[in-house]
Structure formats: C-alpha cells, structure tokens
Amino acid sequence: GAVVSQHPSRVICKSGTSVKIECRSLDFQATTMFWYRQFPKQSLMLMATSNEGSKATYEQGVEKDKFLINHASLTLSTLTVTSAHPEDSSFYICSAQPGLSYNEQFFGPGTRLTVL
Amino acid sequence: AQTVTQSQPEMSVQEAETVTLSCTYDTSESNYYLFWYKQPPSRQMILVIRQEAYKQQNATENRFSVNFQKAAKSFSLKISDSQLGDTAMYFCAFMTTGTASKLTFGTGTRLQVTL
C-alpha cells in the first residue's frame, strides 16, 4: 500500500513552453502533498505544500507564478512549470501524506525535466 | 527553523561489515519525528527507519538500527551485514508534529558497499 505515482517520468521541452507534472496517490487519499526539487548530487529542497481544495503554500524563494500547483482532489496534485528555462531543469519529486495525524510522507518516483 | 546536518558526504564499507552514518539536528521543538531515507540510483525515495522523539527506545528494522540521543540531538544510522543493494544516498530527515509537518532533509551521505 501507500503508492504514489508521477507522470511523466521524463520530459524534455523547449525553452518558453510550459510543462505539467502529475502526482497521484494510488491507494490512499492524500490531504497534503508536497513538491520537492533535487539538483544533481544534492538534497531534496521543499518547493511547496499543497492541501486539497486550497492554495498551495510556497517556500521562501520559490516563485508561485512560475511553479503553479493545483491540488484538485484527494488523490491528484499537479505542478506546472510555466515558461520553462534551462535553469528549471531538475529532478522534481512529489510526496503525499494521508492525513495530519499521519506523520509520514510517501514519495513518488520523480520526474526529470530537461529544458533545452 | 530546523536544520539537519550530515557531516559525512561519502562512506564506504565492505560487504557483510557494519557502517554507521551520522546525523545531527537542531530544533527547539520537544516532539518531532526523525527519518532515514535511502535513495538508490533509481532515485526513488525509500523509508529506511523512523524514530518518534518521545520514545526513548531506539528504532530497529532488520539490519538497520538507530542511535537516538535526544539531548545531544544526534540520530545515527547503523547498517549491519552490509549488502551490495545498500549502495545508495542516505538522507536524514526531520519532521515536526502538527499541521506544518514538513520534512527537512540533510545533505546526504553517499554509501558505497564494496566486495
């Protein structure tokens, strides 16, 4: 149980285009989902926290107009990188938490974004 | 704000031997959770072990155990009988309890298990 999927696993896009990444909890309802960014050989950096039906909370330094997050249902959150540039190339990982009283996050397999 | 420090960027251990990965953290919270995650080359984050701060007993999961020293704010991971499949990045992480249960990760330790 507690499986989280991400789609796509890899995406290559041209500079200036937008890319959408989906994060789904497959066998549980996730009241909260998190989006992380990981540069090569570095740790995970939290970008934002999203709660179903409300606006995402972004970490300091993360542009909310650049990284649009929508948590439309209890099993789906999406991250849209708008007007992508080469510096947005990175590994994006989502995680999902079943509930506020459940202090564990389950991670998706990640999405590698390459912006040409 | 919480900080997590992993002072060993890289470690190496021979198969079947024991290795300990270090982690220290800083927080003013009294109740929290600590985790060790493994990230193999596939980059899938895998939970290795978790510790609840209010529990004095050190957590154990098969070959993995922790040495949790709350007063010293130390949370080391011991891997016994190391296997080639243990080769991965290991991240120590801290989570507060309550509504803002964000994970704060350390910088990671790259563990290489050799023959």
Side-chain angles (χ1 to χ4, degrees):
Chain A
V3 178
V4 176
S5 70
Q6 272 184 252
H7 179 79
S9 58
R10 292 174 179 259
V11 57
I12 301 173
C13 69
K14 293 182 178 179
S15 185
T17 61
S18 294
V19 174
K20 180 185 284 188
I21 302 170
E22 292 186 349
C23 177
R24 293 181 184 272
S25 56
L26 298 184
D27 50 3
F28 66 98
Q29 292 185 329
T31 56
T32 306
M33 288 184 169
F34 303 85
W35 286 96
Y36 297 86
R37 185 172 181 176
Q38 186 179 31
F39 289 108
K41 298 186 178 181
Q42 293 190 23
S43 187
L44 281 71
M45 297 300 296
L46 179 65
M47 298 175 65
T49 303
S50 73
N51 293 291
E52 186 266 339
S54 61
K55 290 184 178 181
T57 302
Y58 291 81
E59 295 299 300
Q60 191 172 7
V62 177
E63 299 176 61
K64 62 180 181 181
D65 295 329
K66 172 77 168 175
F67 299 99
L68 300 179
I69 292 172
N70 184 12
H71 193 158
S73 77
L74 285 172
T75 59
L76 174 64
S77 177
T78 59
L79 168 68
T80 301
V81 183
T82 62
S83 186
H85 291 286
E87 57 265 31
D88 298 324
S89 298
S90 189
F91 193 67
Y92 293 87
I93 304 175
C94 74
S95 70
Q97 184 171 328
L100 292 177
S101 61
Y102 201 96
N103 289 293
E104 184 173 343
Q105 295 178 21
F106 299 96
F107 286 83
T111 297
R112 181 179 300 280
L113 170 64
T114 301
V115 184
L116 301 177
Chain B
Q2 284 71 229
T3 59
V4 179
T5 302
Q6 293 180 250
S7 58
Q8 305 153 314
E10 294 186 1
M11 295 279 286
S12 181
V13 63
Q14 286 192 322
E15 198 177 22
E17 297 296 307
T18 295
V19 65
T20 298
L21 308 184
S22 301
C23 173
T24 58
Y25 59 94
D26 190 23
T27 184
S28 58
E29 303 285 335
S30 59
N31 198 21
Y32 45 86
Y33 295 83
L34 294 164
F35 304 85
W36 278 98
Y37 282 93
K38 168 184 177 180
Q39 189 180 41
S42 68
R43 304 192 76 171
Q44 170 73 58
M45 295 291 284
I46 301 167
L47 177 64
V48 175
I49 199 164
R50 61 180 270 164
Q51 174 80 43
E52 295 166 38
Y54 65 87
K55 290 187 177 179
Q56 291 186 330
Q57 187 172 5
N58 289 323
T60 299
E61 287 288 342
N62 301 315
R63 299 182 294 108
F64 300 88
S65 61
V66 298
N67 183 3
F68 174 47
Q69 301 291 328
K70 190 172 184 179
K73 296 180 181 175
S74 171
F75 183 61
S76 61
L77 174 69
K78 185 171 80 171
I79 305 175
S80 304
D81 185 26
S82 297
Q83 300 175 359
L84 294 177
D86 295 333
T87 294
M89 280 290 288
Y90 286 81
F91 293 100
C92 178
F94 175 101
M95 178 191 281
T96 54
T97 59
T99 57
S101 55
K102 298 189 291 187
L103 275 172
T104 301
F105 287 92
T107 52
T109 297
R110 183 173 301 279
L111 177 67
Q112 180 72 47
V113 181
T114 60
L115 292 170

